[in-house]
Amino acid sequence: MKDVEPPEGLTARPLALADAAAVAEVTAAEEVHEVGEGDTTEEDIVAEWQRPSYDLASSTLGLFAGDRLVAYADLVRPDFGYTGVHPDDHGRGLRDTLFGWLETTARARGGALISTQVPGGGDADRRLEARGYRVRWTAWDLELPAGTAIVTQPLPAGHALRDARADEHELVWTVVEDAFSEWRDRQPMADFGAMVWGRPGHEPWNLRLCTDAAGEAVGATHVYLSGDAGYVARIAVRRDRRGHGLARAMLADAFALARSHGAVRCYLSTDSRTGALGLYEKVGMVVTSTWVNRALDL
Ligand SMILES: CC(C)(COP(=O)(O)OP(=O)(O)OC[C@H]1O[C@@H](n2cnc3c(N)ncnc32)[C@H](O)[C@@H]1OP(=O)(O)O)[C@@H](O)C(=O)NCCC(=O)NCCS
């Protein structure tokens, strides 16, 4: 374990796959405490951890009281990490131990920068500011509240929305990552697959493809059930086909599908790099929490 002096009474060790449920529990408990709703599930954690580019043992630190996970740090990408501290253990200074570990580990890998995302204005945000982290962008969780009517939007003539077939996975990856790589690094297909069609519980309806009159793929949506909610994890429209209401139609389709599979509400996350906040508000979604991405040069 790199440079960690576990606080009094706690032990430190790398996390293992068997800790995924405990990590989800700590994360969700903290989300409830900080922003009123806890959305993280074990499937979310497993999907991230099973990416081929990621090594769980060298990328995580768990702090335990006996067998109970109290807090953790997870360097999910070379320049980005998460931390979680169970609300019962707030106020013990654990956050600084975790941030310190993320910084040390990212630095040891040769990274020039470490970043994380935390609820805006909360305790973790203040700790990051005190450590010299600067704000890079704002992020939001948005919800289509239970009972809200779905604003339908007709597709342009000849367009269709349907489940992507398994032999179209590479096509979906191309459409989504071409769009997202306009404002962040492209995710390799193997990692993308681990998060999308390899996600525990994945079903064909979770991956929707929008085609034009010629049958060409022009957009894709990744939507799945998370507890009682439908989560739109990814939505992308080919650059040359934007501004024709495709995303609106794809969102309406995703919401309706999630509801037909039992979702009570729907939600998604976005940030100020995408410029898409207005799109989600136009389809009836409301901001439920505001987050801040902060980074430190190493
Ligand atoms: C965001 C994205 C999916 C929108 O696709 P689209 O098909 O062009 O969106 P729509 O045509 O359905 O837009 C619906 C409304 O939202 C608005 N809108 C859409 N994208 C917007 C953006 N980036 N900034 C501001 N407004 C936007 C449009 O003005 C439109 O409003 P209008 O009908 O009153 O003119 C597309 O820009 C994209 O793929 N971006 C890259 C990937 C990405 O960032 N995905 C979202 C991550 S959270």
Side-chain angles (χ1 to χ4, degrees):
M1 188 87 340
K2 292 183 204 79
D3 303 330
V4 171
E5 198 56 61
E8 183 78 26
L10 301 183
T11 53
R13 67 159 170 83
L15 296 172
L17 197 53
D19 297 312
V23 168
E25 221 175 282
V26 168
T27 309
E30 192 162 47
E31 286 166 352
V32 170
H33 185 262
E34 300 287 306
V35 299
E37 203 139 45
D39 290 317
T40 299
T41 63
E42 184 176 357
E43 289 82 3
D44 296 334
I45 306 298
V46 171
E48 291 261 18
W49 284 1
Q50 69 188 5
R51 287 169 298 145
S53 70
Y54 173 84
D55 179 60
L56 177 58
S58 62
S59 305
T60 51
L61 169 73
L63 297 178
F64 292 83
D67 288 342
R68 184 177 74 88
L69 180 70
V70 164
Y72 74 92
D74 185 350
L75 190 63
V76 291
R77 294 192 300 276
D79 64 351
F80 182 84
Y82 284 116
T83 61
V85 179
H86 194 280
D88 293 349
D89 299 280
H90 283 184
R92 299 175 68 176
L94 301 181
R95 190 80 58 185
D96 276 299
T97 304
L98 302 173
F99 288 148
W101 183 86
L102 285 177
E103 290 157 17
T104 306
T105 309
R107 197 178 286 121
R109 291 186 188 177
L113 177 146
I114 179 71
S115 62
T116 186
Q117 188 159 303
V118 297
D123 178 58
D125 191 14
R126 282 189 292 275
R127 292 308 318 145
L128 288 170
E129 188 175 14
R131 294 181 79 88
Y133 285 66
R134 67 178 186 282
V135 173
R136 293 199 299 175
W137 58 79
T138 304
W140 303 274
D141 283 349
L142 288 106
E143 179 180 81
L144 186 77
T148 306
I150 296 170
V151 182
T152 53
Q153 164 81 24
L155 282 166
H159 287 62
L161 268 166
R162 59 168 174 81
D163 294 353
R165 300 186 306 266
D167 66 355
E168 292 171 325
H169 283 169
E170 185 167 356
L171 182 61
V172 169
W173 168 71
T174 305
V175 169
V176 173
E177 287 302 307
D178 278 358
F180 277 82
S181 63
E182 288 168 22
W183 53 266
R184 64 147 170 77
D185 291 342
R186 183 178 293 269
Q187 188 171 36
M189 183 160 131
D191 281 6
F192 184 89
M195 301 280 295
V196 180
W197 48 84
R199 180 187 162 83
H202 178 79
E203 294 183 33
W205 71 268
N206 298 154
L207 206 49
R208 301 285 285 172
L209 195 63
C210 182
T211 54
D212 67 7
E216 263 194 63
V218 293
T221 320
H222 180 212
V223 53
Y224 52 78
L225 284 186
S226 177
D228 70 346
Y231 181 61
V232 180
R234 291 166 180 78
I235 181 160
V237 169
R238 225 172 70 182
R239 200 182 173 95
D240 61 334
R241 303 302 177 91
R242 297 203 184 139
H244 300 293
L246 290 181
R248 280 196 195 199
M250 289 158 63
L251 282 169
D253 170 76
F255 296 155
L257 264 174
R259 278 195 186 166
S260 75
H261 285 86
V264 182
R265 61 190 178 93
C266 292
Y267 74 106
L268 54 75
S269 308
T270 190
D271 67 58
S272 48
R273 291 172 302 171
T274 74
L277 179 62
L279 161 67
Y280 303 129
E281 289 177 329
K282 271 183 183 142
V283 298
M285 302 193 87
V286 291
V287 171
T288 52
S289 56
T290 301
W291 300 68
V292 61
N293 179 294
R294 283 187 181 267
L296 181 74
D297 295 315
L298 296 173

